[in-house]
Amino acid sequence: MGEPESVTTGVAAGSDAAAAEAADAGDSLFVLTAALLTPARFPTVLGDDYPESCAALGIGPRADGYGLVFGQDGTGARWTVVIDDVSLVAVAIASWDCGMEYDLSPDERSVIRVLPGWPLAVATSAPGLPAPHDPAPEEDSPPPLTPPDGTAWGPAQRRLGADQVALQWAEWRARMGEDDEGAENETGPEGPAGAEDAGTGDGSPGPYRTVRHVLEELAGYVEKPPPAGRVRSAFGGGEARVLRADGPGWSLVARTDDMAFVLLDDAPHEVLPVTRGPRLPALLTALDALAVRPG
């Protein structure tokens, strides 16, 4: 069986009857969930920025972005459908987040590309259909998209980790303790005093020397804006903003009214704190000014 020819059912219609209809239709798709692919909001498993994420799917960046629809065909095979109707997907996601039903059924004319597999983990499956699986390979078809390996550590896992820190900011901030806030005399933007000179014991630089390099790269973003989506800003409560920034081998999470955390490809599973210090506030303010924000 080839790629689905139509998208006929939505998550709101996620019932046994809807799944049976998808199975009977054969080449139609039973929609499970969806995501946005825009400069301000994209699955970070795909890349450090919006153009890189688009390239991972074999499409060019559009100013308005795309919607990603994840579903199963009548055989249970996993498919990712790229559409240009961003508003439709945005409304569907907002409705689901509020616990409301929404039938996501994109017009076939909005479909840009259909790809085998899913680039991220989807927790649900269609009732009444075979278990999710990759479709059989066909000539000239790209390899199936697959979620990152949860047991490994690399760029995708690092970015996902940073996303989790942003979502669980209060928990990570509590681990630092109130005494660490603004300890400018003992710590600078490089981390704990002296940490930038510490090595790993095998002759390689310590992680905080790399963190200092990350902050230098971020200052370079202020001088020369990076690709769209490399720095993103979201509401953080009150006048504060939550910043997410990525670059080669690193990710940053910060609040404009507080401190920051850095994750590195070279420091698996570590979340490195960057105390506020004398220079960090100005850097975060400048990054927020150039960051893309959700519409």
Side-chain angles (χ1 to χ4, degrees), residues 11 30-35 68-71 93 96 104 120-124:
V11 172
F30 182 88
V31 177
L32 297 174
T33 189
L68 304 179
V69 179
F70 309 114
I93 293 173
W96 300 333
L104 176 54
L120 42 81
V122 176
T124 59

Side-chain angles (χ1 to χ4, degrees), residues 4-285:
E5 295 180 355
S6 62
V7 182
T8 60
T9 56
V11 172
S15 62
D16 291 340
E21 180 183 339
D24 292 340
D27 288 333
S28 62
L29 189 77
F30 182 88
V31 177
L32 297 174
T33 189
L36 291 174
L37 176 60
T38 69
R41 186 176 174 183
F42 54 88
T44 55
V45 297
L46 297 174
D48 283 332
D49 52 53
Y50 173 61
E52 185 176 313
S53 298
C54 290
L57 300 178
I59 55 178
R62 296 175 65 244
D64 294 337
Y66 302 92
L68 304 179
V69 179
F70 309 114
Q72 294 175 260
D73 65 18
T75 71
R78 293 181 282 244
W79 294 94
T80 296
V81 181
V82 183
I83 66 173
D84 61 12
D85 194 342
V86 180
S87 298
L88 178 68
V89 173
V91 171
I93 293 173
S95 299
W96 300 333
D97 287 346
C98 294
M100 301 168 59
E101 293 187 353
Y102 191 88
D103 183 7
L104 176 54
S105 298
D107 190 299
E108 294 180 20
R109 292 171 295 181
S110 70
V111 175
I112 301 297
R113 194 171 191 200
V114 179
L115 297 164
W118 297 330
L120 42 81
V122 176
T124 59
S125 61
L129 292 182
H133 60 273
D134 290 332
E138 296 185 352
E139 187 178 357
D140 298 329
S141 66
L145 301 169
T146 57
D149 183 353
T151 64
W153 183 261
Q157 292 85 352
R158 176 249 303 164
R159 291 188 294 263
L160 287 174
D163 291 343
Q164 288 303 307
V165 172
L167 290 172
Q168 302 166 3
W169 177 270
E171 178 182 338
W172 284 97
R173 185 60 180 88
R175 296 185 186 187
M176 289 293 297
E178 293 298 327
D179 293 339
D180 293 304
E181 185 175 0
E184 296 184 2
N185 293 330
E186 297 181 4
T187 61
E190 297 82 10
E196 67 273 17
D197 297 319
T200 62
D202 60 2
S204 59
Y208 274 103
R209 183 171 297 178
T210 306
V211 169
R212 182 167 59 181
H213 178 67
V214 167
L215 297 174
E216 292 171 353
E217 285 196 46
L218 285 165
Y221 285 0
V222 177
E223 299 297 324
K224 183 179 179 181
R230 189 69 66 91
V231 183
R232 306 177 297 283
S233 176
F235 178 67
E239 298 183 358
R241 305 291 299 182
V242 175
L243 299 179
R244 272 285 287 109
D246 295 291
W250 56 266
S251 293
L252 174 133
V253 187
R255 279 181 60 102
T256 54
D257 64 344
D258 199 358
M259 57 180 294
F261 294 98
V262 170
L263 288 80
L264 304 172
D265 283 354
D266 294 336
H269 308 289
E270 291 191 43
V271 179
L272 305 168
V274 182
T275 54
R276 192 158 176 82
R279 290 174 286 177
L280 188 64
L283 175 60
L284 297 182
T285 298

